[in-house]
């Protein structure tokens, strides 16, 4: 079983549509990160959320941290083909903030 | 100006061989990591070093041995390679162990035949 469950695991949508990706856990995280990984490259950090209920916006991307710091969501408005990639949530646990990654959501935006 | 670099990018080898992957970061970070990403894209931490000291050592076969000659380098040596070792290995670094931002290298694609 994964510590961080992501859903959906695969998503194929048309350009211009909106979408939401979820990251859920039964554990409380001190912080949660969202990364995007493109084929053949390493993950790149998009955002870090640390406060329960926090909402952060990055252009067309809106990130929310759950009040209990156990879950997070990523909402993309008017998806573009450039948004295509693997979206990974990751949470920090433990004294050394060992980062645990979710299984990822593979997003394809069709022009 | 590559922040985290890995060599080689691709590695194809026979079962039973020994191989090394090198990682260097020029960000001045104290902490470095090795992750393994399997065919299903699941990214799992293997090791973490802080100032050349091992601080995270997940359940990894002892055929895998990390070495940090200085805090800018973290190499991964793998003995007696097995088919199941085929994966993409990512090196990453962060300013400190509790830092929330990790910077990843481009990955090393290892294929064991």
């Amino acid at each position: 079983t994964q510590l961080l469950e992501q859903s959906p695991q695969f998503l194929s949508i048309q350009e211009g549509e909106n979408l939401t990706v979820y990251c859920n856990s039964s554990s409380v995280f001190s912080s949660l990160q969202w990364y995007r990984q493109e084929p053949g490259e390493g993950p790149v950090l998009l955002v870090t959320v640390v406060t329960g209920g926090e909402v952060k916006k990055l252009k067309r991307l809106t990130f929310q941290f759950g009040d209990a710091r156990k879950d997070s969501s990523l909402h993309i408005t008017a998806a573009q083909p450039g948004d295509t990639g693997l979206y990974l949530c990751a949470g920090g646990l433990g004294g050394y903030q060992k980062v645990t990654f979710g299984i990822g959501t593979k997003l394809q935006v069709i022009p | 100006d590559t922040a985290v670099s890995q060599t080689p990018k691709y590695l194809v080898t026979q079962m039973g061989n020994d191989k090394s992957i090198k990682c260097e970061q020029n960000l001045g970070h104290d902490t470095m990591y090795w992750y393994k990403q399997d065919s299903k894209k699941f990214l799992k931490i293997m090791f973490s070093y802080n100032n050349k000291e091992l601080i995270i050592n997940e359940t990894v076969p002892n055929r895998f041995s990390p070495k940090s000659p200085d805090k800018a380098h973290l190499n991964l040596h793998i003995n007696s390679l097995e088919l199941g070792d085929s994966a993409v290995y990512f090196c990453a670094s962060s300013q400190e162990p509790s830092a929330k931002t990790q910077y990843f290298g481009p990955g090393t694609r290892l294929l064991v035949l």
Side-chain angles (χ1 to χ4, degrees):
Chain A
T1 55
Q2 304 292 333
L3 195 58
L4 279 168
E5 300 281 348
Q6 281 190 245
S7 60
Q9 287 190 24
F10 301 94
L11 191 53
S12 182
I13 61 171
Q14 294 289 328
E15 182 176 357
E17 290 184 7
N18 301 333
L19 67 115
T20 303
V21 173
Y22 300 93
C23 177
N24 296 298
S25 177
S26 56
S27 299
V28 176
F29 288 92
S30 55
S31 68
L32 204 141
Q33 293 82 45
W34 284 93
Y35 287 81
R36 188 171 109 202
Q37 183 179 12
E38 299 193 18
E41 297 181 13
V44 175
L45 182 72
L46 295 173
V47 79
T48 297
V49 285
V50 296
T51 307
E54 182 176 4
V55 176
K56 281 193 173 177
K57 291 197 173 188
L58 186 67
K59 296 184 181 177
R60 294 176 293 100
L61 278 61
T62 302
F63 305 85
Q64 184 158 10
F65 202 11
D67 291 340
R69 304 206 318 273
K70 291 183 179 182
D71 54 84
S72 180
S73 64
L74 157 61
H75 182 80
I76 302 179
T77 304
Q80 304 292 312
D83 296 329
T84 293
L86 178 70
Y87 289 82
L88 297 158
C89 69
L93 279 176
Y96 280 122
Q97 289 290 299
K98 185 177 73 175
V99 175
T100 300
F101 280 82
I103 193 73
T105 293
K106 193 168 183 180
L107 171 66
Q108 181 187 31
V109 181
I110 303 165
Chain B
D1 288 356
T2 306
V4 182
S5 58
Q6 293 178 231
T7 53
K9 186 160 186 179
Y10 299 96
L11 187 52
V12 181
T13 188
Q14 297 287 331
M15 225 167 41
N17 285 348
D18 302 339
K19 290 292 177 187
S20 291
I21 307 171
K22 295 187 175 182
C23 177
E24 176 181 0
Q25 54 96 1
N26 62 6
L27 297 166
H29 289 167
D30 285 346
T31 309
M32 295 184 73
Y33 312 81
W34 276 110
Y35 286 87
K36 179 180 179 181
Q37 188 171 46
D38 61 25
S39 57
K40 295 184 179 179
K41 303 298 184 186
F42 181 52
L43 199 60
K44 187 169 166 55
I45 191 165
M46 300 172 69
F47 303 102
S48 176
Y49 271 73
N50 183 54
N51 271 327
K52 302 194 295 175
E53 279 192 41
L54 182 67
I55 57 171
I56 293 175
N57 185 354
E58 288 298 281
T59 309
V60 177
N62 58 15
R63 298 182 294 105
F64 290 78
S65 52
K67 281 192 173 52
S68 182
D70 55 63
K71 71 176 193 178
H73 295 85
L74 180 62
N75 304 323
L76 183 65
H77 188 75
I78 315 170
N79 287 327
S80 303
L81 278 155
E82 298 178 359
L83 295 176
D85 297 333
S86 295
V88 183
Y89 292 84
F90 286 100
C91 177
S93 74
S94 64
Q95 201 157 9
E96 55 189 11
S98 58
K100 299 171 182 62
T101 302
Q102 293 188 17
Y103 296 83
F104 283 80
T108 294
R109 284 133 196 89
L110 171 65
L111 177 60
V112 182
L113 302 174

